[in-house]
Amino acid sequence: MYLNTVLMPPLPDSSFFFRCIYLNMSDIVVPGFKSSELIAELNKIFDAMSDDERAKLIKQVNGVFQFVIKNSEGKEETFTIDAKKEGKVSRGKGAQKADAILSLKDDDFVALATGKLNGQKAYMSGKLKVKGQIMLAMKLDNVFKAINPTAKL
């Protein structure tokens, strides 16, 4: 946390509270990855859910998804959606072992999460690669609908 605090740009209000919010968002948002902005939005939605809403989603999905996303520069980032135990999103590999690992390009993730790309077509065309429980990946549409109700995997 010290390293992030030292490297962080100056904020208009340097109170500890605002620094914590900034650090939490910067933990997920990665420059050069449009997908990270959607994942951060999903994190906000998870945080805003009541305990009952989160429990319902966990019961519906019951899986941990790891996304390996490659941007246009060829750099890779990993994000984890835990919809099995905690109902949270994180950058990097999560504490729970992933049930499904999904690899795709940054633009394809954005299209998938916003409902502009069909997950089955993406998989069949090779845009989406899945390791692990492929049928569990079909339940991701429940998660993506939190961002965009028209999203469909």
Side-chain angles (χ1 to χ4, degrees), residues 21-57:
I21 290 173
Y22 179 86
L23 290 173
N24 285 339
M25 288 308 296
S26 69
D27 284 347
I28 295 176
V29 175
V30 181
F33 286 85
K34 292 177 260 176
S35 55
S36 68
E37 294 172 21
L38 288 172
I39 292 169
E41 184 64 29
L42 184 61
N43 189 46
K44 281 188 212 175
I45 292 166
F46 274 23
D47 286 346
M49 284 181 173
S50 69
D51 290 341
D52 289 341
E53 289 171 323
R54 188 177 292 113
K56 181 181 176 185
L57 181 68

Side-chain angles (χ1 to χ4, degrees), residues 77-105:
E77 279 292 333
T78 302
F79 302 94
T80 303
I81 299 174
D82 178 351
K84 188 174 194 172
K85 295 218 177 203
E86 298 182 39
K88 71 177 205 173
V89 180
S90 59
R91 182 175 168 200
K93 292 183 179 181
Q96 294 284 111
K97 182 182 175 196
D99 297 307
I101 301 170
L102 296 91
S103 301
L104 65 166
K105 291 180 182 175

Side-chain angles (χ1 to χ4, degrees), residues 52-83:
D52 289 341
E53 289 171 323
R54 188 177 292 113
K56 181 181 176 185
L57 181 68
I58 288 171
K59 187 176 181 180
Q60 284 177 337
V61 179
N62 193 30
V64 176
F65 305 94
Q66 180 180 308
F67 288 93
V68 179
I69 300 173
K70 186 181 279 192
N71 71 2
S72 58
E73 298 170 5
K75 295 180 182 177
E76 280 189 358
E77 279 292 333
T78 302
F79 302 94
T80 303
I81 299 174
D82 178 351

Side-chain angles (χ1 to χ4, degrees), residues 91-147:
R91 182 175 168 200
K93 292 183 179 181
Q96 294 284 111
K97 182 182 175 196
D99 297 307
I101 301 170
L102 296 91
S103 301
L104 65 166
K105 291 180 182 175
D106 190 45
D107 290 335
D108 293 334
F109 178 90
V110 172
L112 190 67
T114 57
K116 295 177 183 166
L117 177 64
N118 178 285
Q120 291 176 359
K121 288 180 183 176
Y123 178 76
M124 296 304 240
S125 68
K127 290 182 176 184
L128 171 64
K129 294 178 178 74
V130 181
K131 291 181 185 175
Q133 298 181 30
I134 190 165
M135 294 307 291
L136 184 63
M138 303 300 280
K139 294 184 178 181
L140 264 174
D141 65 333
N142 291 326
V143 176
F144 287 149
K145 283 181 183 175
I147 299 173

